[in-house]
Amino acid sequence: MRQFTSVHDVANVPAIVQEALALKKDPFAHQHLGKNKTIGLIFLNPSLRTRLSTQKAALNLGMTPIVMNIDKEGWALETSDGVVMNGTTVEHIREAAGVMGEYCDVLGIRSFPSLKDKEEDYSEDIFNKFIKYSGLPVVSLESATRHPLQSLADLVTIEEYKKTAKPKVVLTWAPHVKPLPQAVPNSFAEWMCKAQEEGMIDFVITHPEGYELAEQFTPGAKITYNQDEALAGADFIYVKNWSSYKDYGKILTEGEGWMMNQEKLKITNSGKVMHCLPVRRDLELGSDILDSEDSLVIKEAANRVWAAQAVLKGILEDLQ
């Protein structure tokens, strides 16, 4: 594995899920792979689970992690080419990424979208320039359009807690007070569609009209505007807000009636509820679920370590 930016970088999805579960049982078995190797974790945006889990995964593999909040601790970056840097930017991404390439063996990059310009966000310009100019294997710690480490952990969690051979998995939109990126739902949908293709799950997406994700992320998914229809018989319910893709970055509805709670859970197949966190209690997801045994959000977050470790192991093996 040379890089990890989406499910398309994974040759065998069921295999990497099993790799993560095996690493969970024996976290320190492959420390020789990371000996004398450095991973630079570069954050342009806030992080809790991604930051801590990726550092822990690197340490489990014998790597040395270096963490930099480049938006607070680094020079203001210029990302456009052909400009005279006589404004507020101090360092060009060409030099910044190039230097990181000299200091590290692997890079992890986290960068959010602006939600103002769809074309710019979905081009993944900043992310792709880090890949190009660092010359290193790069792991996505979340980008403008995807969050693959989260989605791999989600699939690991579903595999770990499933009670049927082919569970029904539902991605349901939830209300929020501000417009959020499509990265997590894009990525979750992309991974679940691939898992469905592999015969691992059945996958349904439900949301109000106007919140359709870009079609490239939802091939083969059943999509319905009727949440109750989607929830009927569901084994896993993944709750997440996102802003409109079509009417880019906009909130189209307050989402009355869309919040998951115990009453809605009654029509599922004793479904377990998931969320990537952080979550706004009693807005996105009811406290009655979060504080119950029906919630997998903490177990799901714990699996972030093993997802990251499986990815880093694959990259380190490629570097040997």
Side-chain angles (χ1 to χ4, degrees):
M1 187 186 298
R2 176 62 186 175
Q3 65 182 30
F4 183 77
T5 63
S6 78
V7 71
H8 303 299
D9 294 317
V10 177
N12 188 321
V13 169
I16 198 171
V17 169
Q18 293 305 317
E19 180 73 72
L21 290 170
L23 289 165
K24 186 172 185 175
K25 294 178 181 178
D26 194 1
F28 309 116
H30 304 279
Q31 288 194 329
H32 63 284
L33 289 174
K35 185 178 180 180
N36 300 325
K37 293 288 193 299
T38 300
I39 181 169
L41 302 176
I42 311 302
F43 291 89
L44 282 76
N45 302 94
S47 175
L48 190 159
R49 282 148 292 275
T50 302
R51 180 186 304 260
L52 297 180
S53 62
T54 310
Q55 286 185 73
K56 184 172 177 62
L59 290 167
N60 286 350
L61 289 167
M63 302 183 79
T64 300
I66 298 175
V67 181
M68 184 174 187
N69 300 306
I70 199 167
D71 60 324
K72 300 178 181 68
E73 301 165 350
W75 302 113
L77 284 183
E78 179 58 60
T79 60
S80 299
D81 289 324
V83 298
V84 177
M85 290 174 55
N86 58 0
T88 58
T89 56
V90 178
E91 182 162 21
H92 201 281
I93 194 169
R94 288 172 176 258
E95 285 76 53
V99 168
M100 292 173 193
E102 296 295 321
Y103 296 158
C104 303
D105 300 286
V106 181
L107 276 188
I109 306 293
R110 183 177 180 96
S111 175
F112 288 176
S114 67
L115 287 182
K116 296 176 181 177
D117 186 325
K118 181 195 297 187
E119 185 175 342
E120 180 180 336
D121 287 345
Y122 273 69
S123 74
E124 294 283 13
D125 182 60
I126 294 176
F127 198 86
N128 289 329
K129 282 177 177 173
F130 269 107
I131 294 174
K132 180 178 180 180
Y133 298 127
S134 71
L136 296 179
V138 171
V139 176
S140 171
L141 307 179
E142 189 171 3
S143 69
T145 64
R146 292 177 171 95
H147 196 350
L149 283 178
Q150 176 67 56
S151 303
L152 174 54
D154 297 334
L155 188 54
V156 169
T157 305
I158 290 167
E159 180 67 18
E160 186 176 24
Y161 288 93
K162 70 182 184 182
K163 294 181 180 178
T164 61
K166 193 176 181 182
K168 179 180 178 181
V169 178
V170 176
L171 168 61
T172 180
W173 182 90
H176 207 281
V177 295
K178 65 177 185 178
L180 296 184
Q182 298 99 34
V184 169
N186 279 350
S187 194
F188 184 80
E190 192 169 53
W191 280 77
M192 294 306 122
C193 286
K194 183 63 176 177
Q196 181 172 256
E197 184 182 311
E198 296 282 352
M200 300 172 71
I201 66 164
D202 287 319
F203 183 47
V204 180
I205 302 172
T206 184
H207 53 71
E209 291 190 55
Y211 283 97
E212 295 79 7
L213 298 170
E215 291 182 2
Q216 70 190 80
F217 298 104
T218 61
K222 179 182 178 181
I223 301 171
T224 175
Y225 303 134
N226 187 323
Q227 189 187 48
D228 287 349
E229 175 189 319
L231 293 175
D235 299 290
F236 295 92
I237 303 94
Y238 198 90
V239 177
K240 186 69 181 81
N241 173 266
W242 63 91
S243 59
S244 175
Y245 171 75
K246 184 177 180 181
D247 195 1
Y248 192 63
K250 299 294 190 295
I251 295 176
L252 306 180
T253 174
E254 293 183 2
E256 184 177 353
W258 278 84
M259 186 190 77
M260 277 297 302
N261 54 30
Q262 284 288 356
E263 189 63 30
K264 289 179 179 289
L265 213 54
K266 291 178 181 178
I267 64 175
T268 71
N269 184 29
S270 301
K272 295 299 183 182
V273 179
M274 304 171 68
H275 190 288
C276 62
L277 301 180
V279 61
R280 297 204 179 212
R281 283 174 169 256
D282 300 312
L283 176 66
E284 291 179 85
L285 184 53
S287 293
D288 56 351
I289 287 179
L290 284 165
D291 295 331
S292 75
E293 293 184 357
D294 298 315
S295 171
L296 288 179
V297 299
I298 302 300
K299 302 296 185 184
E300 179 185 357
N303 281 336
R304 292 292 307 276
V305 175
W306 319 116
Q309 194 164 335
V311 168
L312 292 178
K313 178 176 177 284
I315 288 174
L316 289 171
E317 288 171 338
D318 190 63
L319 291 175
Q320 298 298 301

